[in-house]
Amino acid sequence: MPAPGPSPTLLDAVFAQRGRHAPGLVGDGFSHSHDQVFRAACARAALLVRLLAEQRAPYPHVGLLLDNTPEYAYWLQACALAGATAVGINPTRRGPDLLRDIRHTDCALVVTGRRRLPLLDGLALTVPVLDSDSDGPGYAALLAEHRDAAPPAVLPAPDTRVLLTFTSGSTGAPKAVVCSQQRLARAGDKLRTMYRLTADDTGYACMPLFHGNATMALWAPMLLAGGTVALRPVFSASGFLEDVRRYRAGYFTYVGRAISYVLATEERPDDADSPLRLGFGTEAGAVDAARFEARFGCRLVEGYGSSEGGCNLRQDPAAPAGAVGREGSGPDDDLAVVDPETGEERPRSRFDASGRLLNGAEAIGELVNRTARAGFEGYWRNPEAGAARVRRGWYWTGDLFHRDAEGWFHFAGRSADWLRVDSENLAVADIENILGRWPEAEAVAVYAVPDPVAGDQVMAAVQLRPGADTVAAGLARRLAEFLAAQPDLGTKMPPRFVRFVARMPATATHKTAKTGLRAERWRTDDPVLWRPYGTAADAGAGYRPLTGDDLEKIDALFAEHGRTAWS
């Protein structure tokens, strides 16, 4: 058997589109061939080079504040051709936080569309903003000048930075993860090979392209395979099956609760009649994954990883219940569970006959990759965070795991200072700072509580100021009105549960003691307001008092998904 050839580069895949008339990008109302995509990318690369020269920008960074439209794919490839960096701007960020993200990543220009343009209103931006939906003389006229542009004469090297992807750390504002062309190509080629994606396949991009899941696990592997990418502007559970049938999509990616939202749609006798064969993602939950396969005839492959790329685990069919995986992302990975303070490897975990962990206190530690850097390329303008991530020559994930006697890794939780909602990491400090502005709040503590399906939900404990009106109905209304008025409150930040304590628990050093709050969850004699679980669009729902009937329904919801809130 001949030895495998060298792995393709990102530019190899971009240039392979030239002259190909098979569909490259499809979606509602459009179908563009690979050659059309290539020409569109060349035009934008030429425009980009011109604008950067006019700006005399110190960094060739392009902020993409876009839904999943052809423009997003065009600009990703334009950046690759021009040696520039695409910055995925998270549209759930608001006001000062959104402005901070754009400034922190040194964007020389921002490309947006009609739906997202209002998010920039009132922000003190000092860089050009291109409205890609404009019918006026601006964007269209600029592109017309470069319609027949050739690819750049000098092409970037494989180690050129091509992406900055935001991810939240344990404290402070989101960090921008650096990703080079060669790392993006490696990630895409690995999945292309693993899941046997070819030019005949269509990948359904229903997750936002600003997120590493869609860019690294769908767009990149489909580009390297020469296949078709079907774009959904924003995720729609009700439109999911119709889309995959219309575009003949066999592969898709997902994060967070997307799978549970699809499962919540009305069942039909022909649900399994679709081309879907594989979904790849995180946090679907074992129960929902089994239900999805039974209903739609499509296997879900769960993985553990991060935008940083320092450690990745993928689900193995042979894994015992609850295990994430046993091997790392590369043949040279050296994964271990260690004491976060000493670096000493933790003892292997042991279980009783019912599968309950017996020695969690000694077995649980932080997951590390002891391979130097392990593919991590750093954070933009945040060397301190990068140094914290890479210590002793190891990559530290910041996540808690334990490893059993057979070598299987089991996820045990996340750092107490951050949480993960719908596969988006949120810094506790950011939410506490916002809630702390509420005039009625004397003290605030925010912490993670389990979600019935996967990941976390946001819970807050609030100590009210003396004399505050504590009538539940009025309190719920005023809290909802306050949160709705905060310009920097992201769509995933509003607490699911708000507990009102007479006095905030504190340690001897006067720090807020969250351990007891987190352990009690929502089962407490203190008054609790909550936003009931519902559809994906319930973030704006009002608060109401948590009742005994609600508690029973919550327990039943956890049981339905094979989970417990009290483990």
Side-chain angles (χ1 to χ4, degrees):
M1 183 175 181
S7 298
T9 67
L10 195 65
L11 288 178
D12 288 339
V14 171
F15 276 90
Q17 298 172 109
R18 185 160 50 181
R20 287 191 62 213
H21 299 292
L25 287 177
V26 298
D28 190 13
F30 65 88
S31 178
H32 304 315
S33 71
H34 286 281
D35 187 68
Q36 288 174 316
V37 174
F38 177 73
R39 293 178 182 276
C42 288
R44 284 154 183 79
L47 173 60
L48 176 56
V49 170
R50 169 185 158 185
L51 292 176
L52 290 174
E54 292 174 355
Q55 286 284 103
R56 296 184 179 179
Y59 299 102
H61 293 181
V62 182
L64 300 181
L65 182 60
L66 293 162
D67 292 325
N68 286 6
T69 64
E71 286 292 336
Y72 209 122
Y74 297 158
W75 279 97
L76 283 173
Q77 294 193 36
C79 287
L81 287 165
T85 303
V87 182
I89 304 295
N90 184 345
T92 69
R93 301 271 282 174
R94 295 290 186 273
D97 286 343
L98 180 60
L99 178 61
R100 176 265 171 198
D101 291 350
I102 295 170
R103 286 179 170 173
H104 173 72
T105 48
D106 297 295
C107 290
L109 67 147
V110 174
V111 182
T112 187
R114 186 176 298 115
R115 208 169 82 87
R116 300 303 186 184
L117 186 60
L119 295 178
L120 301 176
D121 288 347
L123 300 189
L125 282 178
T126 58
V127 298
V129 175
L130 303 182
D131 178 2
S132 62
D133 291 327
S134 173
D135 296 324
Y139 187 67
L142 286 171
L143 279 178
E145 298 178 31
H146 303 281
R147 180 178 295 116
D148 298 318
V154 178
L155 296 173
D159 61 355
T160 303
R161 185 174 59 253
V162 72
L163 285 180
L164 289 179
T165 302
F166 280 107
T167 183
S168 295
S170 59
T171 58
K175 300 183 288 291
V177 179
V178 173
C179 180
S180 67
Q181 292 201 21
Q182 61 189 4
R183 185 190 154 206
L184 185 57
R186 281 199 305 266
D189 195 47
K190 176 188 172 186
L191 291 175
R192 176 193 68 83
T193 303
M194 185 183 303
Y195 299 128
R196 301 179 182 178
L197 300 173
T198 72
D200 296 326
D201 286 312
T202 295
Y204 178 46
C206 57
M207 296 287 100
L209 283 165
F210 72 80
H211 195 283
N213 167 274
T215 307
M216 298 181 184
L218 190 131
W219 178 78
M222 295 310 304
L223 178 68
L224 275 96
T228 305
V229 173
L231 295 172
R232 155 65 71 165
V234 292
F235 173 72
S236 169
S238 60
F240 179 86
L241 191 56
E242 179 184 348
D243 280 352
V244 298
R245 286 172 171 166
R246 180 193 310 172
Y247 306 126
R248 303 299 301 166
Y251 175 71
F252 76 104
T253 61
Y254 63 88
V255 291
R257 295 175 61 87
I259 295 300
S260 67
Y261 296 145
V262 173
L263 288 171
T265 61
E266 182 181 356
E267 290 192 43
R268 299 181 181 275
D270 62 347
D271 278 345
D273 182 16
S274 88
L276 277 182
R277 64 179 177 87
L278 183 69
F280 175 76
T282 60
E283 300 183 3
V287 172
D288 278 358
R291 288 177 178 173
F292 191 91
E293 183 169 5
R295 178 172 167 183
F296 297 105
C298 173
R299 182 170 66 97
L300 300 184
V301 178
E302 284 276 302
Y304 166 83
S306 65
S307 300
E308 289 90 340
C311 177
N312 292 281
L313 289 162
R314 73 177 188 275
Q315 191 181 56
D316 187 317
V324 176
R326 184 158 53 182
E327 298 175 353
S329 60
D332 299 324
D333 284 351
D334 180 14
L335 305 185
V337 176
V338 304
D339 184 309
E341 299 297 328
T342 67
E344 294 181 3
E345 191 162 354
R346 292 290 202 179
R348 298 299 176 98
S349 49
R350 296 179 286 104
F351 305 85
D352 64 14
S354 63
R356 185 180 63 176
L357 179 63
L358 297 175
N359 62 333
E362 66 174 3
I364 293 174
E366 186 170 349
L367 180 66
V368 299
N369 191 338
R370 295 181 292 201
T371 302
R373 297 195 67 84
F376 174 55
E377 296 178 325
Y379 297 114
W380 182 253
R381 289 195 179 280
N382 200 336
E384 297 83 4
R389 190 64 79 177
V390 180
R391 310 189 306 275
R392 303 175 183 224
W394 301 351
Y395 176 83
W396 296 71
T397 67
D399 287 335
L400 302 177
F401 276 75
H402 55 89
R403 191 180 193 184
D404 66 28
E406 301 300 321
W408 296 104
F409 291 94
H410 301 250
F411 181 69
R414 305 189 184 277
S415 165
D417 291 329
W418 58 291
L419 42 81
R420 190 170 176 85
V421 178
D422 281 350
S423 240
E424 184 168 334
N425 293 338
L426 303 176
V428 161
D430 291 345
I431 307 174
E432 287 181 338
N433 288 338
I434 293 171
L435 279 174
R437 302 175 195 152
W438 191 22
E440 299 185 51
E442 178 79 19
V444 172
V446 172
Y447 44 96
V449 293
D451 179 87
V453 177
D456 304 320
Q457 287 290 330
V458 182
M459 186 162 184
V462 176
Q463 179 182 328
L464 294 171
R465 293 188 181 278
D469 179 9
T470 58
V471 176
L475 199 59
R477 175 181 53 79
R478 297 194 304 276
L479 174 62
E481 289 174 352
F482 165 79
L483 292 174
Q486 304 312 301
D488 52 349
L489 185 73
T491 57
K492 302 188 187 301
M493 288 182 171
R496 176 71 64 180
F497 302 92
V498 181
R499 172 182 179 175
F500 294 92
V501 297
R503 186 174 182 83
M504 193 68 69
T507 66
T509 55
H510 307 290
K511 295 181 179 179
T512 301
K514 298 182 182 179
T515 302
L517 296 171
R518 194 179 294 112
E520 291 173 351
R521 315 275 203 260
W522 43 83
R523 285 196 178 274
T524 169
D525 292 332
D526 292 331
V528 176
L529 297 177
W530 80 310
R531 293 183 295 110
Y533 292 106
T535 66
D538 73 347
Y543 289 89
R544 66 173 175 81
L546 184 72
T547 67
D549 288 341
D550 291 330
L551 293 174
E552 292 181 5
K553 291 176 182 178
I554 292 172
D555 286 345
L557 190 59
F558 273 88
E560 178 186 347
H561 291 281
R563 305 189 81 201
T564 174
W566 310 102
S567 58

